Amino acid sequence: MASIELKQVSKIYPGSTAGVKDIDLKIEDGEFVIFLGPSGCGKSTLLRSIAGLESITAGDILINGEVVNHVAPRDRNIAVVFQSYALYPHMNVWQNMAFGLRMRHTPADEIDAKVKQAAELLGLTPLMQRKPSALSGGQRQRVALGRAIVRDPQAFLLDEPLSNLDAQLRAEMRLELVRLHRKLGRTTVHVTHDQVEAMTMGDRIFIMKDGRLIQQGPPLEVYANPADTFVAGFLASPPMNLLAGRLVAEGDGLSFVTDGLSLPIPAAYRAVYAPWVGKPVTFGLRSEDFHAGPTGDASVPIVLQVEAVEALGPENIVIGRIAGSEKPIAARLTRHYSAQAGEMVTLHADLMPMHLFSPESGKVIPRPRAAASPLRRHA
């Protein structure tokens, strides 16, 4: 197994285009981490740099405390699984899984033992004589993983391995990857743009934007306490509701005021938000913090004109607007809540999980941290 550390790592392409810029992070031995971000944010460049498939312009990459900047990819003892699977179409499953070992002149009996062990682990034993064209997408993904496993690497790097699968197979393979990590205990880096993968698979997530690392931490901690409006909007579907307005003093309290709406700031946050009175701020509240009825002292009624209802089965997403506002609000409600487009409804917002952000920098204005639910480890 391996720890992986990046110190001020940058990759600048010809024309001064930055692939990644000044990345500092450390992945602990045996940890499962997610690199998350939109297309073009640099997450795959970072993964390829760790693998040695991309040379870095500046900084150091350390594996188990040793600088590997100039170590060849094959000598880093790291396995990479790509989005395309990269299986040889003329070879059967056994041959695909054994190919790398044969190229390293591994003894035949050792190859056979390793391939059989990996096949049993991944449920591929009945498929060993099939060629890739006779396999489903999920089976091909398992073969690609098996080819990596037989190498017995100290770490796995997975570059969007589930993006070619349909929704049901993605869900199945998420579970398979978590189980595989639990069994093997190897350091794993998983690159994705899918928020569900990030929230459900990793011990920690590293959120990237424009080649830079924006925030890192346990998934639920990052979700509950985003560092800026980008993280607030990206790490959720629907994204966090963000409203532009001002913070004003009202008697002994504070309120966020925007078109057609005034929301009282919870007493626990007044002291830290007081310096922003009279200034423009961005108010953030997630969709699940809206409810059909009152939920407590920090709950306030909000009247919305419904524009659409997305019935997802286990829940309904109600999208509506406050009178006088152009910004839609999304509320995540139970499957039993019903509303029709054009209807006026009163929802109740729990303001304790709210955030305020600076509209200039987009960064969160620090406040006492909201408690996140305990993040369970893979079990």
Side-chain angles (χ1 to χ4, degrees):
M1 297 190 290
S3 63
I4 300 171
E5 188 172 3
L6 279 62
K7 296 182 176 180
Q8 289 291 293
V9 168
S10 295
K11 170 66 178 180
I12 310 298
Y13 292 106
S16 299
T17 301
V20 294
K21 184 71 173 176
D22 299 329
I23 301 294
D24 281 302
L25 62 85
K26 184 172 184 180
I27 301 166
E28 301 295 340
D29 188 4
E31 194 174 16
F32 193 131
V33 303
I34 306 289
F35 290 172
L36 175 68
S39 298
C41 72
K43 56 188 185 295
S44 290
T45 298
L46 201 57
L47 179 137
R48 291 174 61 85
S49 298
I50 294 171
L53 303 176
E54 292 270 7
S55 60
I56 60 175
T57 307
D60 289 315
I61 297 174
L62 294 83
I63 299 177
N64 284 331
E66 299 291 331
V67 176
V68 297
N69 294 14
H70 303 295
V71 175
R74 64 174 296 165
D75 296 326
R76 298 189 185 192
N77 193 21
I78 287 178
V80 184
V81 178
F82 296 103
Q83 174 182 353
S84 63
Y85 314 146
L87 301 180
Y88 296 105
H90 62 288
M91 296 182 183
N92 63 27
V93 170
W94 191 97
Q95 293 166 333
N96 266 285
M97 292 174 63
F99 182 78
L101 297 178
R102 294 172 67 183
M103 291 298 99
R104 291 173 174 80
H105 305 291
T106 304
D109 57 346
E110 184 179 342
I111 293 176
D112 191 57
K114 287 187 173 183
V115 170
K116 285 181 177 178
Q117 183 179 19
E120 290 176 4
L121 183 66
L122 294 166
L124 291 172
T125 302
L127 309 176
M128 299 303 281
Q129 299 307 313
R130 294 190 187 181
K131 292 184 177 179
S133 60
L135 301 175
S136 67
Q139 290 166 342
R140 293 178 193 177
Q141 183 62 80
R142 287 184 174 89
V143 176
L145 287 168
R147 185 173 54 190
I149 290 169
V150 298
R151 289 181 48 196
D152 195 24
Q154 58 185 341
F156 293 98
L157 306 182
L158 313 178
D159 191 4
E160 303 207 41
L162 310 185
S163 59
N164 289 335
L165 305 180
D166 61 36
Q168 182 176 347
L169 276 176
R170 279 202 307 273
E172 293 174 0
M173 286 304 301
R174 284 200 303 267
L175 181 58
E176 288 294 329
L177 287 174
V178 170
R179 286 175 174 168
L180 188 63
H181 177 258
R182 182 186 65 225
K183 291 177 180 178
L184 299 178
R186 301 298 165 84
T187 306
T188 302
V189 180
H190 180 107
V191 165
T192 184
H193 61 270
D194 188 295
Q195 299 95 329
V196 175
E197 289 178 27
M199 291 296 296
T200 58
M201 295 176 66
D203 299 313
R204 281 192 298 156
I205 53 176
F206 296 83
I207 299 182
M208 298 185 64
K209 178 188 178 186
D210 298 333
R212 294 186 180 273
L213 179 60
I214 304 299
Q215 188 173 0
Q216 61 176 290
L220 293 181
E221 174 65 24
V222 174
Y223 183 86
N225 298 290
D228 60 16
T229 51
F230 170 76
V231 176
F234 188 78
L235 191 61
S237 181
M240 178 179 280
N241 296 291
L242 298 171
L243 302 174
R246 301 180 68 83
L247 198 61
V248 300
E250 293 185 343
D252 295 332
L254 304 176
S255 292
F256 168 79
V257 178
T258 187
D259 294 334
L261 184 64
S262 177
L263 298 175
I265 301 297
Y269 306 151
R270 290 173 189 167
V272 295
Y273 287 154
W276 287 81
V277 169
K279 299 179 181 179
V281 293
T282 299
F283 173 93
L285 191 66
R286 293 207 180 274
S287 59
E288 62 269 23
D289 297 319
F290 291 86
H291 305 275
T295 57
D297 293 340
S299 178
V300 299
I302 294 178
V303 178
L304 297 178
Q305 182 173 24
V306 177
E307 293 189 340
V309 178
E310 298 177 354
L312 303 180
E315 61 190 10
N316 290 332
I317 307 297
V318 175
I319 301 170
R321 294 181 191 268
I322 302 164
S325 175
E326 296 182 357
K327 182 75 173 181
I329 287 177
R332 188 188 302 272
L333 301 164
T334 71
R335 62 184 179 184
H336 304 295
Y337 187 88
S338 63
Q340 301 295 324
E343 183 181 351
M344 303 298 293
V345 300
T346 299
L347 300 180
H348 295 260
D350 177 6
L351 299 185
M352 284 305 295
M354 60 149 289
H355 287 279
L356 293 182
F357 302 87
S358 165
E360 293 183 358
S361 67
K363 295 187 179 300
V364 70
I365 301 171
R367 61 148 172 79
R369 297 176 78 82
S373 300
L375 179 62
R376 69 179 186 275
R377 302 284 294 184
H378 305 321

